[in-house]
Amino acid sequence: MIDVSITATPPRADAYRGTPPASATMPDYGWWIGGGMIVSIAMLTIMMHIAGLAINPADADTLPFYVSGVVVLALRFGLRDRSWRHARAVADCAEYYGVFTILALMGAVASYPVAALTHGFHDAALQRIDAILHFDWLAWYRLVAATPVLQSLGLAAYRSIYLTPAILFATFAFTGDRVAAHRFLAVFWLTAVGTLILYTFMPAIGPFSYLWHGTIPYMPESEQWQQGLIPALRDHSVRVVDLGHLRGIVSAPSFHAAAATLYINAAWRLPRLRWPVLASNVAMLLSTPVEGTHYLIDILLGTIVALAAIATLHRLMPRSTARGASANHVAVARLPR
């Protein structure tokens, strides 16, 4: 598996990763993140305008975002140069998770104008592919609906999508591994972009709305928003995106599946996190068909998008930069893959 983490120079980071060659230097990818965010905000603004959508900054539901932003900024700039031994790590962790939250929020908001600009639904084709793969979504749903324990475990696993990155960012911060954090943020952003691009070709209402008819014995986390919200976005019945009530409307590819792939990959080189992260994210994948109301092909496509993003970032943002051509050859030869 190609990894997005990087060999760290601080002593405590060495406990997790091998030490890079003396000829290698640690690149600074912070400007990649800043530039990507600026481009993303500009593109999101254009898409929102084209789709006739807006965000009301004075809405009461946006207050938690303002409060969270103030807290993150206070930690990032208030602690960074303090004498407390963990001040820098806490400041870095706040920075990483703050940027991650902004990227995730922009991705969720961007799904609305993207959905508004699509046409038709592709559930029939997605369901046919599932049939070829011998995946029976209705049987999967009936099992969960009849088993309260699976409902509780599945819901917890599905919601862990925001817990795992917090653990990863804390690890990166306390080991001084800024490059690993930046590369993870970059691959997360690239995966979100790839997911949205592919979604334009296969909008769907999801298997719950498409396949299930009659009384609902168990309502999944994602409910049945797509079948009502997407047409409303297309005919401009919905003109304001409520940040406090964002709904998951992307069916294929599944971003939960993509995120699980990214998390497992990022933790694979961290011995203390490898197996817990693998277990929790396999559980998240297993919960995604019902809680996320996804076809199996959605999950496979999400995984493929994440792997493609990882491979791309592996080439664009190397773990270290060697001094000189010969040094570069040595660094490439010695860096673990």
Side-chain angles (χ1 to χ4, degrees):
M1 180 178 290
I2 302 172
D3 194 88
V4 297
S5 60
I6 183 169
T7 302
T9 52
R12 287 197 293 181
D14 293 342
Y16 291 95
R17 294 164 290 274
T19 305
S23 59
T25 60
M26 296 299 100
D28 182 4
Y29 291 124
W31 66 273
W32 282 64
I33 308 302
M37 291 180 67
I38 292 173
V39 171
S40 298
I41 292 172
M43 294 300 297
L44 177 57
T45 302
I46 293 172
M47 289 192 301
M48 292 283 283
H49 176 74
I50 294 174
L53 294 170
I55 296 174
N56 180 7
D59 193 298
D61 289 332
T62 62
L63 180 60
F65 294 101
Y66 296 142
V67 174
S68 299
V70 170
V71 172
V72 167
L73 290 173
L75 291 174
R76 167 61 177 79
F77 294 103
L79 287 179
R80 195 168 182 82
D81 297 319
R82 297 289 181 177
S83 58
W84 178 43
R85 62 178 182 145
H86 297 307
R88 178 63 179 264
V90 173
D92 284 349
C93 190
E95 173 190 326
Y96 303 153
Y97 204 76
V99 173
F100 172 83
T101 301
I102 292 174
L103 292 175
L105 187 62
M106 284 195 297
V109 172
S111 68
Y112 281 62
V114 169
L117 299 173
T118 60
H119 303 279
F121 293 108
H122 293 72
D123 291 88
L126 295 171
Q127 171 56 23
R128 282 196 297 270
I129 296 174
D130 268 16
I132 294 173
L133 296 172
H134 301 288
F135 180 75
D136 188 342
W137 187 91
L138 287 173
W140 197 276
Y141 171 74
R142 290 190 183 100
L143 174 63
V144 173
T147 314
V149 172
L150 290 180
Q151 296 169 19
S152 300
L153 293 176
L155 188 59
Y158 190 75
R159 291 176 174 175
S160 69
I161 188 172
Y162 296 112
L163 175 61
T164 303
I167 296 172
L168 288 171
F169 289 136
T171 301
F172 296 149
F174 279 87
T175 57
D177 203 345
R178 288 185 62 82
V179 181
H182 288 161
R183 296 179 80 220
F184 179 80
L185 289 168
V187 79
F188 182 85
W189 170 80
L190 185 59
T191 301
V193 172
T195 299
L196 289 171
I197 290 174
L198 282 183
Y199 170 59
T200 62
F201 297 100
M202 55 189 86
I205 61 175
F208 189 31
S209 297
Y210 184 71
L211 297 175
W212 187 265
H213 306 287
T215 304
I216 298 174
Y218 172 67
M219 182 63 76
E221 175 80 350
S222 296
E223 301 187 16
Q224 294 180 315
W225 296 106
Q226 292 98 326
Q227 65 178 348
L229 182 55
I230 295 176
L233 289 168
R234 290 172 176 174
D235 65 19
H236 305 293
S237 299
V238 173
R239 293 183 175 274
V240 177
V241 177
D242 185 349
L243 296 184
H245 297 86
L246 288 172
R247 308 300 181 187
I249 58 177
V250 176
S251 181
S254 164
F255 192 74
H256 265 74
T261 305
L262 297 181
Y263 299 165
I264 292 171
N265 180 75
W268 199 251
R269 291 169 60 85
L270 307 174
R272 295 178 184 176
L273 295 182
R274 179 185 301 163
W275 301 115
V277 169
L278 176 64
S280 64
N281 282 276
V282 167
M284 185 168 75
L285 284 172
L286 292 174
S287 73
T288 297
V290 172
E291 296 301 335
T293 64
H294 282 291
Y295 300 98
L296 178 60
I297 186 59
D298 299 349
I299 297 171
L300 296 178
L301 287 172
T303 302
I304 291 171
V305 170
L307 291 175
I310 290 169
T312 300
L313 264 294
H314 182 69
R315 292 186 175 276
L316 292 179
M317 299 173 68
R319 298 188 190 96
S320 64
T321 303
R323 302 183 189 124
S326 59
N328 183 63
H329 176 75
V330 172
V332 171
R334 294 182 181 176
L335 278 174
R337 295 292 181 184

Short mmCIF file of all heavy atoms in Angstrom, two decimals, residues 52-82:
data_model
loop_
_atom_site.label_atom_id
_atom_site.label_comp_id
_atom_site.label_asym_id
_atom_site.label_seq_id
_atom_site.Cartn_x
_atom_site.Cartn_y
_atom_site.Cartn_z
N GLY A 52 -27.16 29.11 -8.37
CA GLY A 52 -28.14 29.97 -7.72
C GLY A 52 -28.29 29.69 -6.23
O GLY A 52 -29.37 29.86 -5.65
N LEU A 53 -27.20 29.28 -5.59
CA LEU A 53 -27.23 28.96 -4.16
C LEU A 53 -26.42 29.96 -3.36
O LEU A 53 -25.52 30.63 -3.90
CB LEU A 53 -26.66 27.55 -3.93
CG LEU A 53 -27.47 26.38 -4.50
CD1 LEU A 53 -26.68 25.09 -4.39
CD2 LEU A 53 -28.80 26.26 -3.77
N ALA A 54 -26.74 30.07 -2.08
CA ALA A 54 -26.03 30.99 -1.20
C ALA A 54 -25.98 30.42 0.21
O ALA A 54 -26.70 29.48 0.54
CB ALA A 54 -26.71 32.35 -1.20
N ILE A 55 -25.12 31.00 1.02
CA ILE A 55 -25.02 30.66 2.44
C ILE A 55 -25.33 31.91 3.24
O ILE A 55 -24.79 32.99 2.94
CB ILE A 55 -23.61 30.15 2.80
CG1 ILE A 55 -23.32 28.84 2.07
CG2 ILE A 55 -23.47 29.95 4.30
CD1 ILE A 55 -21.89 28.35 2.25
N ASN A 56 -26.19 31.79 4.21
CA ASN A 56 -26.54 32.94 5.05
C ASN A 56 -25.58 32.98 6.24
O ASN A 56 -25.72 32.20 7.18
CB ASN A 56 -27.98 32.82 5.54
CG ASN A 56 -28.39 34.00 6.41
OD1 ASN A 56 -27.65 34.97 6.55
ND2 ASN A 56 -29.57 33.92 7.03
N PRO A 57 -24.61 33.90 6.24
CA PRO A 57 -23.61 33.93 7.33
C PRO A 57 -24.21 34.35 8.66
O PRO A 57 -23.60 34.12 9.71
CB PRO A 57 -22.59 34.97 6.83
CG PRO A 57 -23.36 35.84 5.90
CD PRO A 57 -24.36 34.95 5.23
N ALA A 58 -25.40 34.96 8.64
CA ALA A 58 -26.03 35.42 9.89
C ALA A 58 -26.96 34.38 10.48
O ALA A 58 -27.56 34.60 11.54
CB ALA A 58 -26.80 36.71 9.63
N ASP A 59 -27.09 33.22 9.83
CA ASP A 59 -27.98 32.18 10.33
C ASP A 59 -27.47 31.67 11.68
O ASP A 59 -26.26 31.49 11.89
CB ASP A 59 -28.03 31.01 9.33
CG ASP A 59 -29.17 30.06 9.63
OD1 ASP A 59 -29.15 29.45 10.72
OD2 ASP A 59 -30.06 29.91 8.77
N ALA A 60 -28.39 31.43 12.60
CA ALA A 60 -28.01 30.98 13.94
C ALA A 60 -27.26 29.65 13.91
O ALA A 60 -26.43 29.37 14.78
CB ALA A 60 -29.26 30.85 14.81
N ASP A 61 -27.53 28.82 12.90
CA ASP A 61 -26.88 27.52 12.81
C ASP A 61 -25.40 27.61 12.49
O ASP A 61 -24.67 26.62 12.60
CB ASP A 61 -27.57 26.66 11.75
CG ASP A 61 -28.95 26.19 12.20
OD1 ASP A 61 -29.15 26.05 13.42
OD2 ASP A 61 -29.82 25.97 11.34
N THR A 62 -24.95 28.79 12.03
CA THR A 62 -23.53 28.96 11.73
C THR A 62 -22.72 29.35 12.97
O THR A 62 -21.49 29.36 12.92
CB THR A 62 -23.32 30.03 10.64
OG1 THR A 62 -23.80 31.29 11.13
CG2 THR A 62 -24.08 29.66 9.37
N LEU A 63 -23.40 29.67 14.08
CA LEU A 63 -22.70 30.12 15.29
C LEU A 63 -21.66 29.11 15.78
O LEU A 63 -20.53 29.52 16.12
CB LEU A 63 -23.71 30.42 16.39
CG LEU A 63 -23.12 30.91 17.73
CD1 LEU A 63 -22.34 32.20 17.52
CD2 LEU A 63 -24.23 31.11 18.76
N PRO A 64 -21.98 27.81 15.83
CA PRO A 64 -20.95 26.84 16.29
C PRO A 64 -19.68 26.88 15.45
O PRO A 64 -18.58 26.66 15.98
CB PRO A 64 -21.66 25.49 16.16
CG PRO A 64 -23.12 25.81 16.27
CD PRO A 64 -23.27 27.14 15.58
N PHE A 65 -19.81 27.18 14.16
CA PHE A 65 -18.62 27.25 13.30
C PHE A 65 -17.77 28.46 13.67
O PHE A 65 -16.53 28.38 13.68
CB PHE A 65 -19.03 27.31 11.83
CG PHE A 65 -19.71 26.08 11.34
CD1 PHE A 65 -21.09 26.02 11.21
CD2 PHE A 65 -18.97 24.95 11.00
CE1 PHE A 65 -21.72 24.87 10.77
CE2 PHE A 65 -19.59 23.79 10.55
CZ PHE A 65 -20.97 23.75 10.44
N TYR A 66 -18.42 29.59 13.98
CA TYR A 66 -17.68 30.78 14.40
C TYR A 66 -16.95 30.53 15.72
O TYR A 66 -15.77 30.89 15.88
CB TYR A 66 -18.63 31.97 14.55
CG TYR A 66 -19.29 32.41 13.26
CD1 TYR A 66 -20.62 32.84 13.25
CD2 TYR A 66 -18.58 32.41 12.06
CE1 TYR A 66 -21.23 33.25 12.08
CE2 TYR A 66 -19.18 32.82 10.89
CZ TYR A 66 -20.51 33.23 10.90
OH TYR A 66 -21.11 33.64 9.73
N VAL A 67 -17.65 29.92 16.67
CA VAL A 67 -17.05 29.63 17.97
C VAL A 67 -15.87 28.68 17.81
O VAL A 67 -14.78 28.91 18.37
CB VAL A 67 -18.09 29.03 18.93
CG1 VAL A 67 -17.42 28.59 20.23
CG2 VAL A 67 -19.20 30.04 19.22
N SER A 68 -16.06 27.63 17.01
CA SER A 68 -14.98 26.67 16.78
C SER A 68 -13.78 27.35 16.11
O SER A 68 -12.62 27.07 16.46
CB SER A 68 -15.47 25.52 15.90
OG SER A 68 -16.53 24.83 16.52
N GLY A 69 -14.06 28.25 15.17
CA GLY A 69 -12.98 28.96 14.50
C GLY A 69 -12.18 29.83 15.45
O GLY A 69 -10.94 29.87 15.39
N VAL A 70 -12.87 30.50 16.36
CA VAL A 70 -12.18 31.34 17.35
C VAL A 70 -11.31 30.49 18.26
O VAL A 70 -10.16 30.84 18.57
CB VAL A 70 -13.21 32.15 18.18
CG1 VAL A 70 -12.52 32.83 19.37
CG2 VAL A 70 -13.91 33.18 17.31
N VAL A 71 -11.83 29.34 18.69
CA VAL A 71 -11.07 28.44 19.57
C VAL A 71 -9.82 27.93 18.86
O VAL A 71 -8.72 27.92 19.42
CB VAL A 71 -11.94 27.26 20.03
CG1 VAL A 71 -11.10 26.23 20.77
CG2 VAL A 71 -13.07 27.76 20.93
N VAL A 72 -9.99 27.50 17.60
CA VAL A 72 -8.85 26.99 16.84
C VAL A 72 -7.79 28.06 16.65
O VAL A 72 -6.59 27.82 16.84
CB VAL A 72 -9.33 26.45 15.47
CG1 VAL A 72 -8.13 26.22 14.54
CG2 VAL A 72 -10.10 25.16 15.65
N LEU A 73 -8.20 29.27 16.29
CA LEU A 73 -7.25 30.36 16.10
C LEU A 73 -6.54 30.72 17.41
O LEU A 73 -5.33 31.01 17.41
CB LEU A 73 -7.97 31.59 15.54
CG LEU A 73 -8.46 31.48 14.09
CD1 LEU A 73 -9.29 32.69 13.72
CD2 LEU A 73 -7.28 31.35 13.13
N ALA A 74 -7.29 30.70 18.50
CA ALA A 74 -6.68 31.00 19.80
C ALA A 74 -5.62 29.98 20.16
O ALA A 74 -4.53 30.33 20.65
CB ALA A 74 -7.77 31.06 20.87
N LEU A 75 -5.92 28.71 19.92
CA LEU A 75 -4.94 27.65 20.21
C LEU A 75 -3.75 27.73 19.27
O LEU A 75 -2.59 27.61 19.70
CB LEU A 75 -5.60 26.28 20.09
CG LEU A 75 -6.64 25.93 21.15
CD1 LEU A 75 -7.31 24.60 20.82
CD2 LEU A 75 -6.00 25.85 22.54
N ARG A 76 -4.03 27.96 17.99
CA ARG A 76 -2.96 27.98 16.99
C ARG A 76 -1.97 29.13 17.23
O ARG A 76 -0.75 28.93 17.19
CB ARG A 76 -3.58 28.09 15.60
CG ARG A 76 -2.61 28.42 14.46
CD ARG A 76 -1.54 27.36 14.30
NE ARG A 76 -0.67 27.65 13.18
CZ ARG A 76 0.32 28.52 13.20
NH1 ARG A 76 0.59 29.20 14.33
NH2 ARG A 76 1.08 28.72 12.13
N PHE A 77 -2.47 30.32 17.47
CA PHE A 77 -1.59 31.48 17.61
C PHE A 77 -1.28 31.83 19.07
O PHE A 77 -0.29 32.51 19.34
CB PHE A 77 -2.21 32.69 16.91
CG PHE A 77 -2.30 32.52 15.42
CD1 PHE A 77 -3.52 32.22 14.81
CD2 PHE A 77 -1.17 32.64 14.63
CE1 PHE A 77 -3.60 32.05 13.44
CE2 PHE A 77 -1.24 32.47 13.25
CZ PHE A 77 -2.46 32.17 12.65
N GLY A 78 -2.13 31.36 19.99
CA GLY A 78 -1.89 31.68 21.39
C GLY A 78 -0.91 30.75 22.07
O GLY A 78 -0.24 31.13 23.04
N LEU A 79 -0.79 29.51 21.58
CA LEU A 79 0.07 28.53 22.24
C LEU A 79 1.38 28.27 21.53
O LEU A 79 2.32 27.74 22.13
CB LEU A 79 -0.69 27.20 22.38
CG LEU A 79 -1.81 27.13 23.40
CD1 LEU A 79 -2.44 25.74 23.37
CD2 LEU A 79 -1.28 27.42 24.80
N ARG A 80 1.46 28.61 20.27
CA ARG A 80 2.58 28.15 19.44
C ARG A 80 3.96 28.49 20.03
O ARG A 80 4.88 27.69 19.95
CB ARG A 80 2.45 28.73 18.04
CG ARG A 80 3.36 28.04 17.02
CD ARG A 80 2.98 28.43 15.63
NE ARG A 80 3.80 27.75 14.64
CZ ARG A 80 3.61 26.53 14.20
NH1 ARG A 80 2.60 25.82 14.68
NH2 ARG A 80 4.39 25.99 13.30
N ASP A 81 4.12 29.67 20.61
CA ASP A 81 5.43 30.09 21.11
C ASP A 81 5.50 30.09 22.64
O ASP A 81 6.40 30.70 23.21
CB ASP A 81 5.77 31.48 20.57
CG ASP A 81 5.88 31.49 19.05
OD1 ASP A 81 6.44 30.52 18.51
OD2 ASP A 81 5.40 32.45 18.42
N ARG A 82 4.57 29.43 23.30
CA ARG A 82 4.58 29.37 24.75
C ARG A 82 5.66 28.41 25.25
O ARG A 82 6.12 27.52 24.51
CB ARG A 82 3.22 28.90 25.27
CG ARG A 82 2.08 29.87 24.95
CD ARG A 82 2.18 31.13 25.77
NE ARG A 82 1.08 32.04 25.49
CZ ARG A 82 0.88 33.20 26.10
NH1 ARG A 82 1.73 33.58 27.05
NH2 ARG A 82 -0.13 33.97 25.79
#
